[in-house]
Amino acid sequence: MVKVGVVGYGVIGQRLADGVARQKDMELVGVADVAPTLAIRALKEKGMPYAFYLGMAENKPQFDALAIPVAGTLEELVQKVDVVLDATSAGIGAKNKELYAKYNKKAIFQGGEKNSVADVFFHGYANYEKGLGKQFLKLTSCNTTGLIRSVDCLDRAYGVEKVAITIIRRVADPGDYHRGLTNALQIDKAPSHQALDLMTIMPHIDATGILVHTPVTHGHIITVVATTKQKINKAQALEAFGRHPRIRVVRIADGFQGNASLFRYARDLGNPRGDMYEIALWEESIVESGRDIMYAINIPQEAVTIPETMDAIRAAMQMQTERLAAVGETNKHLGLGKWLQN
Amino acid sequence: MVKVGVVGYGVIGQRLADGVARQKDMELVGVADVAPTLAIRALKEKGMPYAFYLGMAENKPQFDALAIPVAGTLEELVQKVDVVLDATSAGIGAKNKELYAKYNKKAIFQGGEKNSVADVFFHGYANYEKGLGKQFLKLTSCNTTGLIRSVDCLDRAYGVEKVAITIIRRVADPGDYHRGLTNALQIDKAPSHQALDLMTIMPHIDATGILVHTPVTHGHIITVVATTKQKINKAQALEAFGRHPRIRVVRIADGFQGNASLFRYARDLGNPRGDMYEIALWEESIVESGRDIMYAINIPQEAVTIPETMDAIRAAMQMQTERLAAVGETNKHLGLGKWLQN
Amino acid sequence: MVKVGVVGYGVIGQRLADGVARQKDMELVGVADVAPTLAIRALKEKGMPYAFYLGMAENKPQFDALAIPVAGTLEELVQKVDVVLDATSAGIGAKNKELYAKYNKKAIFQGGEKNSVADVFFHGYANYEKGLGKQFLKLTSCNTTGLIRSVDCLDRAYGVEKVAITIIRRVADPGDYHRGLTNALQIDKAPSHQALDLMTIMPHIDATGILVHTPVTHGHIITVVATTKQKINKAQALEAFGRHPRIRVVRIADGFQGNASLFRYARDLGNPRGDMYEIALWEESIVESGRDIMYAINIPQEAVTIPETMDAIRAAMQMQTERLAAVGETNKHLGLGKWLQN
Amino acid sequence: MVKVGVVGYGVIGQRLADGVARQKDMELVGVADVAPTLAIRALKEKGMPYAFYLGMAENKPQFDALAIPVAGTLEELVQKVDVVLDATSAGIGAKNKELYAKYNKKAIFQGGEKNSVADVFFHGYANYEKGLGKQFLKLTSCNTTGLIRSVDCLDRAYGVEKVAITIIRRVADPGDYHRGLTNALQIDKAPSHQALDLMTIMPHIDATGILVHTPVTHGHIITVVATTKQKINKAQALEAFGRHPRIRVVRIADGFQGNASLFRYARDLGNPRGDMYEIALWEESIVESGRDIMYAINIPQEAVTIPETMDAIRAAMQMQTERLAAVGETNKHLGLGKWLQN
């Protein structure tokens, strides 16, 4: 059993902890944070299913006042685990890295950190082998993770030369009050970092893209114009996407009208927090454009990176050396691709 | 074991079914709807935890094509149960009533139906006794249900003469595409029906109010100006609210900044679908205004009426004859008020 | 002086009337509608700068009660003019066409009508010559009008073979209460009609695209991936766009952060209603993608079709027979391209 | 002619400048700001109708590069005027005050500054006399300004003892990208500062209130529960409101469905920037609540304080010594109350 700790118990950290807890070959030792946030209060109200370690000793009295049990310090948690999943705010991870290095522990950072924090920039499906045995890995961001799933899928099936993407980005998560946009679309300087990141992970592909922020919370939508080595038609694209355990092909005609339908469906499925690990791909969005194929995907930003982070643990700890075996193991524990059998 | 069927498996119907399934002294016989909506597809993907009955025979082939098992017809479901929870779209319930009457079954309608559909307009805390043994009950709507909880709470503690409310209404549920509002507040003709409904349930109170629709999905907020028989102060109000198992007193200072914080918290608590049965009341919103007391509450529209509907089953079926025993039984099964012990 | 009448005094009709009033070689005879809407009430409060004709005689008492002067019937207006601009709701124009035909008048329909209503599907810059002397013309819709401006611009400069577009669509206009979307992105079946319409107007180009609705009101954003005959670079694209009198090249760095910045700027410019006739194109959005060029434009949906409608009058009435002379005349009266001299 | 300068040319500053330019007995000497914002670029594109003074000398090269004429420094502007309208960001005004004091000039600050910056906290209708001859005045904020208009109106007609308000606040202005809220309502600690400010201006009234932020941009809505000395009915309230030149009584039945309808109407009226100086009050919102009267008003946040700021100039400069003469003069120049004659 690989021992795992989660540092930073926010939107991503909570989901990482839940994800690890579902891996039968891993053990979640505990989670760490610095203050009694709502997420920690919820942990308390649930009866502390995960042990809590405190990253800021001076805040201990606050926890005592709330009767929230503290199992130890962040440093103690680090010592107890084989690998740390760092889901702290951007920039903090780079600082925490010193602690992980001090105890010679492996660590996996989320997409908000700089690439330089890690030995390898990682995606479970696209470059699993690169992560094998590495000490520090950094995951791709939520948009890039989902985007690469779909591009890697096409690439392995038909060969992809070039992609041009448009990211219609959700600007905040449900419950965020520290950021937001009201009745406005906001455009970023192009090319978007997601296109550049894709090229770092898949250097044989030429990628560019434009990102527009929109005032919604339930998932990004990305349109992709992909130039394949040889022309493919809609049916061929669908065939490849339809077999991928982390891509759910959905139909507008069935009621999947947009990102919010997918969020509702995940809630109705009974998924914890109404989360979805898989990206969705709309069947009716696939169109041919000369030699290119164009399609649209939905990125459930809160949970989409969890599977690839589990893959990263497998790679770093060399739990599986073969890519498909590794992602398959993750998929099994997370129930990914089950809908393919229905 | 009282046998219950749920007719209409939408936003409310799904939650009613889950609510019944949690009552140890009730049995959920099945749920009924007319088409393979996303909610039904989710039921299928979950492995049919509830038996499904079809309300529109001509749609059977659609279900067969999707391999969704159909346990029987709506009429068959009605025959098998003691009481029906009708959560169909407004207006349909009145039609369905003929079917319920034909088999001499009890039925409980949601707030969208006209009052005339039922023998009594019901609220578990405010007028439980009125529902005892009745055949047809109609629940108050989501806003009214939550509002009455707080007003009844004050009324029983201190006596309330008059309330003036402002409803800041969420305009759609997460995932709704058939209605919405974009960058606009919309005002309704006053007085709001919620104020009038409150007076129907609590005729000794004079109520009026204004309703404004806002483009959000995660909960209504209502401000209440309540005139009590004798002046009370903030501490007295807080004392009464703080003991109510269906009112969660929260603090902005703790991170409960608005309706979306409560939705996030409910998700982090692991509540199915991220739902909340209790209303929230902000401690920092309570202010004294001359002899009046003013406060703000949050109404989680998707799930707030579930507890009072369980109460209604208890009343209609005379499972408990005493108000506090009945609501207490419901609370126990739904875990309501557990936070009071923390 | 060409005599013009505007039928339908809503969002588009009001702006058409203002646009005609600014053309020194046209005379606005009057505007017509059927009920005392807010737009008509505003006309009254402004002192009736335009004569009003009534399209529904039975509503005359409503106008009398409000002391709104009625200059005559819709049929009388039609008789007085050379050309009608029909800006009624989709479907009404096709019915009104019989009246226009009865008096042998020319008519120009907006994008909501079916193509079959007209002899030609028209865009001032892209196919002016096709409209010359025709009786019935139909304008492209707001998105298509703006999109074609940019594609036609590139096409005339460098030759365009293919475009793949992503339309990030505003879902309602400011003040709309009959439609809206709340916290949701909504995707349409692809290809979008705008791509198909572009091919109707510019049959030598292969076009496809995906449209996503977003809950905002101040302008659509379209990203375009254009394949030119020969590879061009960003500077070349910018050079062509920068000379177009109906394309305003803007910079994020200057403060044009999105669609709402452009709306604010138009208000600060003192444009009537804060409208903008020109599309905006973000300089920092232009990127090269292999042989393709990618860029993003903003479509101010309320006013963008006004210039091309003025062009259509010129074509239908053969006021100018040469394309550039015609659009140049329209531009001069509307002040388009003035910023190029600054 | 009283000479006026406007310091800070943002959302409020631009409208103050336009407002001064419409007063026949005032002269707008110029406007000042520190950087070439979009508002300044728009001023340039319009041909510099107002002279521009620079508040930050080191930014001069930026203005030269854009060929924006600079008439002088902020300090020079201050010397040339009798009174400064300071519309800088909160906190800057207090610093600028030293400059105004150095040259012994009068200055009027907007609501964002602390009360201590001024000799008097001012509202044209409610306490005009207090401002007479004062050197430093501070205006009430947008919400408070509009709220006081309605409360003062009732108070002078019938006597008001107490108000309890609910502010449904727009969270950003159109075009704001530095703040926003997405799919969330946010509640502030009560009582709201607007209630406290009302008591400062009208100390004989007891006021409290709750404020909730909403993700919209076109106007706040406030509901008011007012306790009058003697009970009044709806008709009496309407009679008082209907005569006020800065209150526009509107009807939902006529199409005024919410804050966005009013913004649209102002645009259709041809008001510069689509602004509205008057608050709106919905006739159908007025309800009686025991001895209280309840109603809802709309606050057009961008322009609502302009009339009262003009009043403040009149008071500070003692242009009129009598309250009604002063506000009447402002109303005349701004066209306020014209709709009463229609």
Side-chain angles (χ1 to χ4, degrees), chain A residues 187-190, chain C residues 250-258 282-285:
Chain A
I187 190 165
D188 276 5
K189 190 174 184 311
Chain C
V250 298
R251 277 173 290 269
I252 300 168
D254 289 345
F256 290 102
Q257 297 178 263
W282 281 278
E283 187 174 323
E284 297 104 323
S285 75

Side-chain angles (χ1 to χ4, degrees), chain B residues 191-257:
Chain B
S192 74
H193 81 80
Q194 290 84 355
L196 303 179
D197 286 354
L198 183 145
M199 289 194 287
T200 305
I201 299 276
M202 309 181 80
H204 59 290
I205 293 179
D206 186 14
T208 194
I210 294 174
L211 182 148
V212 175
H213 305 265
T214 63
V216 300
T217 68
H218 297 316
H220 314 287
I221 290 181
I222 307 181
T223 68
V224 182
V225 181
T227 308
T228 45
K229 292 227 170 70
Q230 305 200 343
K231 177 166 175 45
I232 61 167
N233 61 24
K234 176 170 174 166
Q236 289 172 294
L238 198 51
E239 209 272 331
F241 294 137
R243 281 185 283 113
H244 198 294
R246 296 188 190 168
I247 299 177
R248 181 187 282 266
V249 175
V250 298
R251 277 171 290 270
I252 299 168
D254 290 344
F256 290 102
Q257 298 178 261

Side-chain angles (χ1 to χ4, degrees), chain C residues 7-8 74 84-101 107-114 116-118 136-138:
Chain C
V7 175
L74 167 59
V84 173
L85 305 183
D86 189 296
T88 56
S89 304
I92 308 290
K95 273 180 47 187
N96 285 345
K97 186 182 167 183
E98 296 171 33
L99 186 65
Y100 311 148
I108 298 165
F109 300 92
Q110 290 296 307
E113 294 296 321
K114 294 208 174 115
S116 59
V117 80
F136 297 120
L137 290 82
K138 194 194 104 161

